[in-house]
Amino acid sequence: MDTIFAEATPPGRGGVSVVRISGPESHVAAESLVGSLPEARKSYLRAIRDGDDLIDRALILRFDEGSSFTGEDVVEIHLHGAPVVVDRLCKALVSRGLRRAEAGEFTRRAFLNGSINLAEAEGLSDLLSAETEAQRKLAMRAAEGELGVVADHLRAKLIRAGALVEVSIDFADEEVPEQIPPEVFDLITDVRGEIEKLLTSYPATERLRQGYVVAIIGPPNIGKSSLFNRIAQRELALVTNIAGTTRDILELHMDLRGLPVTFLDTAGLRESSDPVEAMGIERALERAESADLRVILTEGGVSSDFDPARDVVVRSKADLNSGAGFGLSSHSGEGVSELLNFLYSRLRNMAEKSGLVGHRRQAEALRRALVALCVDRDTQPEFIAEALRQASQGLAELVGKVGVEDYLDEIFSSFCIGK
Ligand code: GDP
């Protein structure tokens, strides 16, 4: 394994910049710059010199193999936060044969060395990209390894069931068909139930992790862009009274009281002979179709075509239009905060259904385990034993113990350099 380094803090000016070095040569390389290294896990102020050149005076932290984030020998250098200082140190490290780390390489090493499992790595990645409080909480549970604990607990049940099946196969009389103890089926039913519960919460968890989408839809000139701007509290969309001017989708990312929401201002939904506008309309329809919630703006407050689970029908321009149902005016602001309250409560209900499994890779591993466990009392014992092995394998994949090579590049490249 070669020794790698990277700036762990974002590039640019700041109070402090941290450069992290990991690998077998990290201690030797750091010693050649700072003299003797401090005791492990204690920080000391040291002069960093490359030959005669005093690079900086910085805090140095040493971690030893087996008790560092990556599982390797690590040194962290807390420099003054100026790009030239960081660059000078990096140059000194390159001249000592060290290599710049790739995106996510420290975390990848942490995984390969067994310091964290794959579900924890996914949790860390989610934590680093979390934008709202609800996403942070979700990611922290994952990063803290809750899924691994559940997987181990389920695997222990499958291992017990497997042992019971093996015993009954080994001791079976040639003449008498093998008797599988009923406990085996209890254990299987139990594990199946727990996997089903995890899978049931998967879509809600995934949605929260990625952020919700609320599409504002309705005919041209109904007031979609005006509402979008009201919500944004700034002029984001082009507001105009010429039908069909919003040809693309505008997005507004918002932290709605801790929930991540993207509002979409869709193109005016109408038949059009203009090919550019028609494309905009098609895209609007597609995205609105897959949105978590849709705000349908109407003139009279009624819509013949709506899905009560997902749509909220609103009477637009309530200062002008009277009619049925809930009305709002983007001009006076009437009804806008009520709409946001309503959307928030709908999304909060969705968020409350979230659980531990938020990645497709994890859900697929669980589904494989669940499919394997489709056995009953009529199944041949040898098949039951094999089913239990396969289900165990699925749970091992869930936390990345086996069969995850294909996913590693994708997962770790989503991290930034230095993590
Ligand atoms: P869109 O095509 O659906 O995006 O509609 P716009 O937001 O561009 O609005 C079309 C026209 O309706 C503009 O002239 C707006 O000023 C006007 N409008 C939008 N919302 C309201 C409202 O709440 N009250 C009134 N009186 N006019 C509005």
Side-chain angles (χ1 to χ4, degrees), residues 157-406:
K157 289 188 179 181
L158 293 178
I159 288 165
R160 165 145 185 85
L164 290 169
V165 174
E166 298 293 347
V167 167
S168 58
I169 293 173
D170 290 348
F171 287 90
D173 192 312
E174 303 267 310
E175 308 292 313
V176 187
E178 304 101 22
Q179 280 295 315
I180 300 283
E183 187 190 345
V184 170
F185 297 102
D186 294 344
L187 286 165
I188 291 177
T189 308
D190 203 13
V191 172
R192 281 188 58 98
E194 291 198 44
I195 294 179
E196 275 164 3
K197 233 193 284 166
L198 287 169
L199 282 172
T200 305
S201 64
Y202 161 62
T205 316
E206 217 240 354
R207 294 308 304 130
L208 172 57
R209 190 174 72 74
Q210 300 202 325
Y212 301 108
V213 175
V214 178
I216 302 174
I217 60 174
N221 262 330
I222 194 71
K224 297 182 293 299
S225 300
S226 303
L227 174 60
F228 184 80
N229 288 341
R230 252 292 165 179
I231 294 171
Q233 289 172 328
R234 58 202 148 111
E235 297 286 303
L236 264 187
L238 182 64
V239 182
T240 158
N241 55 7
I242 306 163
T245 45
T246 312
R247 290 184 172 171
D248 214 343
I249 296 184
L250 292 173
E251 298 195 359
L252 164 68
H253 298 283
M254 244 179 95
D255 179 340
L256 190 59
R257 289 185 243 155
L259 297 179
V261 187
T262 299
F263 283 92
L264 302 182
D265 178 11
T266 58
L269 304 179
R270 60 168 195 172
E271 293 287 319
S272 173
S273 52
D274 174 352
V276 180
E277 195 186 340
M279 268 172 64
I281 292 168
E282 199 177 310
R283 281 186 54 194
L285 283 169
E286 272 169 26
R287 293 207 61 191
E289 197 43 55
S290 60
D292 298 285
L293 295 176
R294 302 188 304 179
V295 177
I296 304 182
L297 293 186
T298 64
E299 227 169 78
V302 250
S303 169
S304 54
D305 179 23
F306 80 103
D307 168 4
R310 201 159 64 120
D311 296 336
V312 40
V313 180
V314 173
R315 176 163 41 86
S316 187
K317 308 186 191 179
D319 52 310
L320 298 179
N321 299 328
S322 53
F326 169 74
L328 65 76
S329 164
S330 300
H331 277 191
S332 71
E334 171 200 341
V336 176
S337 58
E338 285 84 347
L339 175 70
L340 289 177
N341 285 343
F342 179 78
L343 295 173
Y344 170 74
S345 68
R346 280 280 189 93
L347 295 175
R348 196 193 49 202
N349 285 345
M350 289 185 200
E352 278 169 359
K353 295 191 179 76
S354 65
L356 283 177
V357 175
H359 287 259
R360 203 169 84 193
R361 183 198 69 76
Q362 299 166 351
E364 280 169 0
L366 279 173
R367 271 189 210 114
R368 280 193 289 279
L370 192 63
V371 168
L373 290 178
C374 285
V375 292
D376 58 29
R377 287 179 168 74
D378 297 330
T379 310
Q380 292 286 323
E382 287 77 8
F383 287 126
I384 297 183
E386 180 54 24
L388 292 167
R389 272 192 291 274
Q390 282 185 18
S392 260
Q393 165 99 2
L395 291 171
E397 286 169 17
L398 173 66
V399 287
K401 285 192 176 139
V402 288
V404 289
E405 289 70 24
D406 295 349

Side-chain angles (χ1 to χ4, degrees), residues 5 19 21 29-30 33 88-98:
F5 70 92
V19 171
I21 312 168
L33 290 163
R88 182 64 187 86
L89 174 63
C90 291
K91 224 165 104 189
L93 294 172
V94 169
S95 72
R96 282 160 178 76
L98 273 53

